[in-house]
Amino acid sequence: MSDATPDEPASNEPIAKPKKPTTSQRKRARKLVLQALYQWQLSGSSLSQIEAEFRVDNDFNKVDARYFSELFGQIPKEVTELDQKIEPFLDRPLNDVDSVELNLLRMGVYEFIHRLDVPYRVVINEAVELAKQFGGTDGHKYINGILDKLSLRLRAAETRNKRS
């Protein structure tokens, strides 16, 4: 008989490592982050309130919840810095950029800077797919062009290796 309590594994039982999130869980997390950022931008509600609502309203067993929490928790805190990186590549004032597209650009820049484990092409492709789903008619082309240019600056070593 083991000395372990019911809540902890016996000493001879392996401790389960957290599973690596699947591609679909990461895709769902990005989709929810976009929707949560959009809600935050329009409603002015607190991040914690919005995150709590999203966790209640969505099946987080099918979502990379850690990724959702990171992006949704950090992007609003860094919005000024992210916008400063985006602005030089825009063809219009920041305030004139569609909310969905702006939040996708912020997500992309955040991932370029902080999520080096995610290849730059994945960041761009995911943003383009979300723009096709939620953005305006040609929003995905706009997102693709701006993130492609930003990747050259923010992921210079990675893009140089892939494009040569």
Side-chain angles (χ1 to χ4, degrees), residues 15-26:
I15 297 174
K17 289 183 181 178
K19 290 183 181 177
K20 184 178 176 186
T22 65
T23 302
S24 64
Q25 288 173 318
R26 186 66 58 90

Side-chain angles (χ1 to χ4, degrees), residues 118-129:
V118 180
Y120 81 95
R121 288 183 176 167
V122 171
V123 172
I124 294 171
N125 290 339
E126 291 293 319
V128 165
E129 290 304 313

Side-chain angles (χ1 to χ4, degrees), residues 24-25 28-29 32 53-65:
S24 64
Q25 288 173 318
R28 286 184 181 107
L32 291 177
E53 288 174 17
F54 270 74
R55 287 183 177 274
V56 167
D57 294 343
N58 297 281
D59 181 2
F60 264 71
N61 290 323
K62 297 179 180 179
V63 173
D64 183 346

Side-chain angles (χ1 to χ4, degrees), residues 71-89:
L71 268 64
F72 185 60
Q74 294 304 313
I75 290 171
K77 292 177 184 174
E78 297 182 26
V79 76
T80 301
E81 295 84 1
L82 297 172
D83 288 353
Q84 287 172 349
K85 297 215 181 297
I86 295 166
E87 277 185 295
F89 298 92

Side-chain angles (χ1 to χ4, degrees), residues 110-142:
Y110 179 87
E111 287 186 284
F112 283 157
I113 295 169
H114 298 289
R115 296 305 306 236
L116 300 178
D117 58 313
V118 180
Y120 81 95
R121 288 183 176 167
V122 171
V123 172
I124 294 171
N125 290 339
E126 291 293 319
V128 165
E129 290 304 313
L130 286 168
K132 286 178 182 177
Q133 187 174 1
F134 295 104
T137 304
D138 285 332
H140 66 283
K141 294 176 186 175
Y142 190 67

